[in-house]
Amino acid sequence: MTSIEGDVIVVGAGPVGMATALGLAHHGVRCTLVERRAEPTVGSKAFGVWGRTLETLDAWGLSERFLAAGDARDAVSPVTVETGRPAFTVDFTALAAESAMPGLLLIPQSSTERLLREAVTSASGIDLVDGDVTDVRLDDAGADVDIASPDGGVTTIRAAYVVGADGSRSAVRESQGVRHEGRIIDHDLLVFDIALEDDADLSPVRLVAKQPGLLAGLRFGPGRWRVLASLEALTNPTTTATDGPPPRKPDLPVERLEGFAHQLFGERELDVLWQSQTTLYQQRVPDFRLGGRILLAGDSAHLVSPAGGQGMNQGIQDAENLAWSLAAALRAGDGPTAESMLDGYAGEREHAADVVARRAQINSLLEFATPPWLRPLGFFALRIATRLSWFTRMLTRRLSMRDLRYRPHHSVRLRGSSRIGLGPVGRRLANVVLPDGTRMVTHTQGRAAVISIACDPPAVPPGMIAVRLESAPRGSHLRSGQVAVLRADRYVAAVLRRPSAQRLAEVLADTVGA
């Protein structure tokens, strides 16, 4: 048995684990990334990357390679098979002023993992270890992780903190006797990928409107499609309490999958590449922080219905928050600042998981339980509503996950006077265009910053970024004369009015660990 010392051990090299490692590297923290799979995933799972997640990747310098590999959509117009016309259009360009990223990038998860793996391999400060985690033991100073290697040996790695990003059946989580809690909607969804010849004449999003339940197709790229299909109509939605991930279900005969695909695409030549049958669920662990030294992220912390396609994106956003929080905790050492950073991560992302779960349940009922006769009326209402600019902004911000926010009661590190979140604290600042033509992220570079509105900030600590804006970004609730502490994930952590340099330094230490 050998022993290795380090700052952070990240268990699981799926999208969330790799994103956590890349985020830590971005903030100068060395980590060990442990993965039990010898080869990357083959199935596509998640169908795309939403705009909010693309902004995270952009801050880390990774967005260009993702955009080059996927199909960026500034608008989504599902075409019904029955009419051949769009049922409605969601125009993400309504958010062009607050982000340079598209609303949605259609890209299979296998490609997302490949790009993240390439970034991990080329990054400095990430050590890769192959093996299965067999035990995690905590003490006051850190954690020991036992790893069984493919050759039969056992390695013990010790670090200050452990991140469990190893999926729904997390070995890290289960080593502490913790399981998911929540409910399952008694309805099954079939997800599969196909290769389709001669699809240039087809719209990239298609659906069958006159069939009960859901039957839809999304094109990842030329000849490659994702199909989502209900196995039966959801006529009487019921939920069942559960304390763990739903059991895996066997594959269906290929002929049945081909039948669904032919309803969407007609009698074209196609090949089924991958399939998965899943239950609709909303579950999470009670606490994302275990024993002080373990932090959970992604599916190890929460499971959400595939409706809306936000599960992987939610996990990568966990990783963004966790990476800067761990970096701040490590800079602070053991003490109240480190505690507030890590408790802040847990409280904020537990709240985010609850919000995403509620939305996914609503999406599930709309997609699977709406009777076919009612759909034309719903489509008509959406066509009317999306003519209103305020509605389109609200809808596109929600779909692209840009409207998720925190309130001071979710986290001790948020310093807002309004406990219910009426002010700017807990809101995410838009990536606005500055007078010199650059975007905000060009200056903040995915790190904490001080933002002053129509005033000069006091002297900031060495290494801290300061940006002056002549007017407050739309929707920020900031006002002239205010100085805001902006976190690495672009959430406003605190707002001061003409503070002294000493007062600003104190608040920076309390809210971002600077």
Side-chain angles (χ1 to χ4, degrees):
M1 177 180 291
T2 60
S3 180
I4 304 172
E5 299 278 342
D7 288 329
V8 181
I9 300 168
V10 180
V11 181
V16 178
M18 288 191 285
T20 303
L22 289 166
L24 288 168
H26 179 76
H27 293 290
V29 176
R30 192 172 193 90
C31 73
T32 300
L33 180 60
V34 182
E35 176 56 288
R36 66 181 179 181
R37 286 200 315 262
E39 299 294 336
T41 185
V42 176
S44 67
K45 300 180 183 178
F47 65 76
V49 178
W50 289 104
R52 167 68 178 81
T53 308
L54 285 170
E55 291 177 7
T56 298
L57 298 172
D58 187 44
W60 295 344
L62 301 175
S63 61
E64 289 187 4
R65 65 183 76 182
F66 275 82
L67 293 171
D71 180 14
R73 309 302 304 176
D74 283 321
V76 175
S77 301
V79 168
T80 61
V81 171
E82 294 85 355
T83 66
R85 297 191 300 271
F88 55 87
T89 297
V90 178
D91 185 4
F92 290 104
T93 61
L95 304 180
E98 67 178 69
S99 177
M101 294 295 104
L104 173 63
L105 179 71
L106 292 172
I107 182 172
Q109 183 171 325
S110 53
S111 295
T112 296
E113 291 194 20
R114 174 180 57 80
L115 293 169
L116 289 173
R117 192 173 295 274
E118 290 173 358
V120 164
T121 302
S122 61
S124 59
I126 302 176
D127 300 316
L128 295 170
V129 174
D130 292 331
D132 288 293
V133 170
T134 58
D135 194 22
V136 181
R137 299 178 301 281
L138 305 180
D139 55 46
D140 291 341
D144 293 306
V145 179
D146 291 343
I147 301 170
S149 63
D151 62 8
V154 176
T155 300
T156 297
I157 304 179
R158 182 170 177 81
Y161 297 102
V162 176
V163 174
D166 48 340
S168 61
R169 292 166 174 80
S170 167
V172 173
R173 186 193 66 237
E174 293 187 0
S175 73
Q176 307 303 302
V178 177
R179 294 175 63 83
H180 289 116
E181 299 176 3
R183 305 192 71 83
I184 291 177
I185 300 176
D186 296 330
H187 187 73
D188 290 337
L189 175 67
L190 178 64
V191 181
F192 62 97
D193 292 349
I194 63 170
L196 184 68
E197 296 183 359
D198 301 324
D199 66 342
D201 61 319
L202 299 176
S203 59
V205 183
R206 299 173 61 80
L207 60 86
V208 176
K210 294 185 178 179
Q211 175 173 298
L214 175 69
L215 180 54
L218 303 94
R219 181 166 57 199
F220 291 131
R224 179 77 181 273
W225 290 76
R226 153 68 55 82
V227 177
L228 303 96
S230 302
L231 295 182
E232 58 186 12
L234 181 58
T235 56
N236 184 28
T238 58
T239 61
T240 303
T242 180
D243 66 348
R248 294 188 176 97
K249 298 193 174 185
D251 288 349
L252 294 179
V254 172
E255 293 76 16
R256 189 169 184 188
L257 276 60
E258 291 173 340
F260 284 123
H262 287 313
Q263 290 183 65
L264 278 168
F265 307 111
E267 297 300 320
R268 300 174 185 239
E269 291 293 326
L270 59 89
D271 292 309
V272 175
L273 305 175
W274 169 85
Q275 65 164 296
S276 175
Q277 189 182 165
T278 183
T279 301
L280 304 181
Y281 41 74
Q282 287 87 40
Q283 302 173 336
R284 74 168 174 88
V285 296
D287 300 295
F288 286 15
R289 187 182 182 194
L290 307 179
R293 297 285 174 176
I294 294 176
L295 293 307
L296 301 179
D299 285 355
S300 67
H302 48 73
L303 295 172
V304 65
S305 163
Q310 295 189 334
M312 181 193 72
N313 288 265
Q314 180 185 358
I316 294 176
Q317 291 166 37
D318 288 348
E320 178 190 35
N321 189 315
L322 180 53
W324 79 259
S325 300
L326 276 169
L330 287 164
R331 284 196 304 269
D334 292 335
T337 299
E339 290 297 304
S340 69
M341 292 298 108
L342 301 180
D343 285 342
Y345 161 76
E348 291 164 10
R349 296 313 296 173
E350 287 161 12
H351 163 70
D354 291 340
V355 171
V356 172
R358 286 195 297 270
R359 293 179 179 179
Q361 184 166 11
I362 294 171
N363 290 341
S364 297
L365 296 177
L366 289 174
E367 293 172 0
F368 305 119
T370 302
W373 62 267
L374 189 57
R375 283 185 180 140
L377 181 60
F379 294 156
F380 176 76
L382 269 175
R383 288 195 296 272
I384 297 299
T386 50
R387 294 177 183 175
L388 305 172
S389 59
W390 67 267
F391 180 85
T392 299
R393 270 184 55 83
M394 179 195 71
L395 179 62
T396 52
R397 295 190 86 248
R398 176 162 294 194
L399 286 174
S400 60
M401 305 183 77
R402 290 182 171 110
D403 69 333
L404 291 173
R405 54 175 300 204
Y406 309 124
R407 291 175 171 81
H409 67 270
H410 299 137
S411 172
V412 296
R413 64 185 180 182
L414 291 175
R415 297 303 176 91
S417 58
S418 172
R419 301 300 292 172
I420 60 174
L422 296 178
V425 172
R427 297 178 187 271
R428 192 164 180 270
L429 202 64
N431 186 22
V432 294
V433 179
L434 301 180
D436 63 1
T438 61
R439 292 269 182 179
M440 175 76 75
V441 73
T442 305
H443 300 268
T444 60
Q445 300 175 343
R447 293 178 172 82
V450 173
I451 308 296
S452 59
I453 308 298
C455 67
D456 292 324
V460 299
M464 177 59 60
I465 300 164
V467 178
R468 173 174 171 150
L469 302 178
E470 294 308 318
S471 60
R474 180 178 181 179
S476 69
H477 290 230
L478 291 169
R479 298 177 181 177
S480 295
Q482 291 182 329
V483 176
V485 175
L486 194 67
R487 307 186 331 186
D489 54 5
R490 295 221 315 274
Y491 281 90
V492 176
V495 176
L496 305 169
R497 189 161 189 86
R498 304 190 186 281
S500 66
Q502 180 180 349
R503 176 58 179 155
L504 178 59
E506 291 170 353
V507 173
L508 283 167
D510 290 342
T511 56
V512 297

